[in-house]
Amino acid sequence: MLKIYNTLTRKTEEFQTLEPNLVKMYICGVTVYNDAHVGHAMSALVFDIIRRYLEYRGYAVKHVMNYTDVDDKIINRAKQLSEDPLKLSQRYIEEYAKELANLNILPATSNPQVSKTMPLIIQFIEGLIQKEHAYAAFNGDVYFSVTSDKDYGKLSARKLDDMQAGARIEVGEAKDHPMDFALWKAAKPGEISWDSPWGKGRPGWHIECSAMNLAELGEQIDIHGGGNDLIFPHHENEIAQTESYTGKEFSRYWVHNGMLQLGGEKMSKSLGNIVSIKEFLSKREADVMRMLVLNGTYRAPLLFNDETLDAAEKNVERLKSALRPASSSASGLSPESVTYLASTAESAQTNFTEAMDNDFNTAGAMAALFELTKAINTSRDNGATDDQLKPAQAAFRGLANILGLKLEEKQGSSEKDAQVNALIAERNEARKQKQWARSDEIRDQLKELGVTIEDSKDGTTWRWG
RNA sequence: GGCGUCGUGGCCAAGCGGUAAGGCAAGGGUCUGCAAAACCCUCAUCAGGGGUUCAAAUCCCCUCGACGCCUCCA
């Protein structure tokens, strides 16, 4: 039985969907105004893994991830570049989608955008005004009234009084209450804007998600997710808006991933300690980033540094070793050993599911994969044939797929392969003559080309990487 | 200052009341001309202090420490 930690209740709860076999999941995407960084990748990976596991567990998943394409930062950036803001954001949307694909992240089932949801956003705000949860101020802004929502603060577990104690709240003079937040912002001269009953303007940050949620998934959803830095104010405000509007419980489970840490600090655009996804992928393969996430707990801070990345890379290499073919001199495994391998494969699958059922305990799931890796490699060393290896390897591949690991051996072009093979042949000849110096020279040369070779009593094998 | 999450071997990290998974690193060994890979073996009593319990890394309290949010943020 699947259990999920729910930020709203601060407890791990049994997962039950609103409708049988269907999961409605909304993930807060990114504001598109510059290159996405590996922190965004972490979040996207976490929810990709969750989505893949839910599908493995037999659910159809409606996975909605929005793009915030109307926002102050986009407007500023566009001004800097003298570019149309919507064109700018569209460019980054396309780029982000590509980055996600490069990370082997499944595309969401839909990607709504603020700029395309305007009528519903306006309708939503009107509804909130009618129900007296919001008010239009003299300056053309519309604010949500936090005091009109009796359980405001329930997600982030804070009280209005406590928050007011903090000195950092800017008191807008148009607001009735300092914590009231903007649903609609009046346009400044020259800014991109939309017509509304309150004059030209654009939506506040939070209302867009409430509206897109409603449009894509309806009044109630199963999972709402995002980084834990969104708990307050973003998700708190979404709950306030949506529940005030519909009168129903908004999302059953609130799922938040921890922050990626770079040098002991959260990686974020405002701190400037950023490694872009592009930069990362130019140095390491996508599986490494995924492995980094899998080795940890999605809710905890994740350390991103050379040490943790090197370890993740080694982990990936180790998993790949399970998929390698039998040795060419394989003489076959004893029936007992075949049985043992089969039973290990079976228990690996059981352990895997048990771990993942426990709030997506990917680190536990990885342990199951590593145990199966060891069993497969031991069998190979003991002379298992490809046919004997195949069932366990298929099971292994199945589990890796659920986690979205590709575990592909690197590929070279056919000309390069030919070049390598020629060098290997030359080296084999040298080895036959016991010309070790020449043989090692060729090995170094191959290493330069990015080729790893392995000698065994059956001959020499090689691979890229 | 308020709220929250957390502190397990050199590093990353499971564990959710019954006596410490897994990976990396390290050391020893098998194999090899050497190397690499693979395989075998070795490697912690859970920040500190109280308490509850037959039994605690696991529950409660205190102390210390880290991180996050309270302002844009995945």
Side-chain angles (χ1 to χ4, degrees):
Chain A
M1 174 188 305
L2 177 59
K3 287 185 282 189
I4 300 185
Y5 181 85
N6 188 354
T7 306
L8 185 62
T9 58
R10 314 268 165 186
K11 284 193 185 99
T12 303
E13 300 172 342
E14 277 177 32
F15 184 62
Q16 284 177 325
T17 53
L18 292 158
E19 294 170 43
N21 303 318
L22 174 69
V23 176
K24 297 181 183 181
M25 177 164 95
Y26 184 97
I27 308 302
C28 283
V30 292
T31 302
V32 276
Y33 66 101
N34 60 12
D35 287 339
H37 59 70
V38 285
H40 299 122
M42 176 195 178
S43 189
L45 281 165
V46 163
F47 291 103
D48 182 59
I49 291 160
I50 288 175
R51 182 254 183 98
R52 285 170 186 267
Y53 188 67
L54 290 171
E55 287 178 344
Y56 164 71
R57 287 297 247 121
Y59 295 101
V61 180
K62 281 192 182 174
H63 174 197
V64 178
M65 188 194 74
N66 73 289
Y67 285 116
T68 297
D69 63 349
V70 178
D71 169 271
D72 282 347
K73 291 182 295 273
I74 297 172
I75 291 169
N76 290 337
R77 189 84 207 281
K79 210 179 283 171
Q80 275 173 19
L81 301 175
S82 329
E83 190 175 359
D84 175 72
L86 288 182
K87 260 190 196 148
L88 174 94
S89 53
Q90 196 57 39
R91 212 175 71 223
Y92 280 112
I93 285 172
E94 280 157 27
E95 222 163 282
Y96 189 57
K98 247 182 257 168
E99 310 278 23
L100 295 185
N102 288 340
L103 288 165
N104 197 26
I105 288 167
L106 297 172
T109 46
S110 75
N111 294 107
Q113 296 172 226
V114 181
S115 65
K116 298 177 180 170
T117 318
M118 242 14 112
L120 185 62
I121 290 174
I122 289 168
Q123 187 186 320
F124 204 118
I125 297 172
E126 282 184 308
L128 285 172
I129 292 175
Q130 262 166 35
K131 296 184 182 192
E132 299 186 337
H133 284 293
Y135 55 93
F138 62 84
N139 60 0
D141 289 354
V142 179
Y143 294 103
F144 183 89
S145 166
V146 289
T147 50
S148 77
D149 179 21
K150 66 262 170 248
D151 53 13
Y152 185 79
K154 67 178 176 182
L155 179 68
S156 53
R158 55 188 86 198
K159 299 186 179 82
L160 278 174
D161 294 343
D162 293 341
M163 288 187 274
Q164 285 182 77
R168 290 199 275 181
I169 298 165
E170 189 188 325
V171 182
E173 65 245 52
K175 294 181 185 179
D176 288 351
H177 185 284
M179 290 308 293
D180 287 353
F181 55 91
L183 299 171
W184 188 260
K185 294 173 158 179
K188 296 185 190 111
E191 258 181 18
I192 183 169
S193 64
W194 284 260
D195 287 322
S196 82
W198 318 284
K200 284 186 179 301
R202 60 198 159 84
W205 178 33
H206 317 297
I207 192 68
E208 59 181 72
C209 281
S210 285
M212 287 187 276
N213 237 307
L214 190 61
E216 299 287 334
L217 297 172
E219 294 186 329
Q220 295 185 288
I221 66 173
D222 295 295
I223 295 176
H224 195 128
N228 68 14
D229 54 348
L230 295 181
I231 294 172
F232 190 90
H234 188 54
H235 288 164
E236 191 70 71
N237 291 350
E238 273 189 61
I239 293 181
Q241 292 161 352
T242 299
E243 296 192 348
S244 295
Y245 184 73
T246 66
K248 294 178 184 159
E249 183 189 43
F250 179 22
S251 176
R252 301 181 65 124
Y253 305 92
W254 288 85
V255 179
H256 293 98
N257 64 274
M259 294 292 104
L260 196 73
Q261 302 285 120
L262 188 71
E265 269 182 322
K266 166 186 164 187
M267 177 178 294
S268 81
K269 291 174 186 172
S270 49
L271 289 171
N273 56 342
I274 286 176
V275 176
S276 72
I277 296 175
K278 210 176 295 171
E279 196 180 339
F280 177 86
L281 287 176
S282 72
K283 293 180 185 141
R284 315 233 189 201
E285 55 179 332
D287 273 348
V288 175
M289 188 64 213
R290 192 175 285 265
M291 179 59 75
L292 190 71
V293 171
L294 289 169
N295 185 49
T297 311
Y298 77 88
R299 291 194 278 126
L302 182 65
L303 270 46
F304 182 93
N305 57 46
D306 286 341
E307 230 178 336
T308 58
L309 286 171
D310 286 346
E313 199 160 78
K314 291 273 184 53
N315 281 330
V316 171
E317 286 308 310
R318 175 147 181 81
L319 291 181
K320 284 180 186 174
S321 74
L323 293 166
R324 293 183 185 140
S327 100
S328 55
S329 66
S331 54
L333 229 44
S334 69
E336 304 85 74
S337 299
V338 171
T339 307
Y340 173 74
L341 181 57
S343 73
T344 306
E346 202 170 308
S347 65
Q349 295 182 78
T350 308
N351 294 342
F352 178 94
T353 307
E354 228 165 72
M356 289 298 282
D357 271 355
N358 181 19
D359 192 32
F360 312 106
N361 177 359
T362 53
M366 288 314 306
L369 272 180
F370 282 117
E371 262 150 30
L372 185 50
T373 299
K374 180 174 279 191
I376 291 171
N377 286 340
T378 302
S379 299
R380 186 191 299 102
D381 273 16
N382 290 341
T385 62
D386 275 323
D387 279 349
Q388 291 174 322
L389 249 26
K390 217 183 283 170
Q393 286 177 323
F396 176 89
R397 175 58 86 183
L399 297 179
N401 281 343
I402 296 167
L403 300 177
L405 289 166
K406 282 187 149 174
L407 304 180
E408 279 171 345
E409 298 288 3
K410 291 192 194 92
Q411 299 288 319
S413 62
S414 51
E415 308 96 76
K416 280 194 167 173
D417 281 11
Q419 186 192 353
V420 171
N421 280 323
L423 282 165
I424 298 270
E426 190 186 341
R427 177 168 173 276
N428 283 341
E429 191 53 38
R431 293 183 68 215
K432 211 179 276 177
Q433 313 286 336
K434 298 201 193 297
Q435 294 169 352
W436 307 128
R438 176 59 187 151
S439 156
D440 291 350
E441 194 180 288
I442 296 171
R443 183 167 60 201
D444 290 344
Q445 208 177 327
L446 286 164
K447 196 175 179 185
E448 285 292 307
L449 290 169
V451 173
T452 305
I453 61 173
E454 288 167 16
D455 297 329
S456 75
K457 52 179 182 287
D458 310 313
T460 300
T461 59
W462 65 273
R463 62 173 182 272
W464 294 102

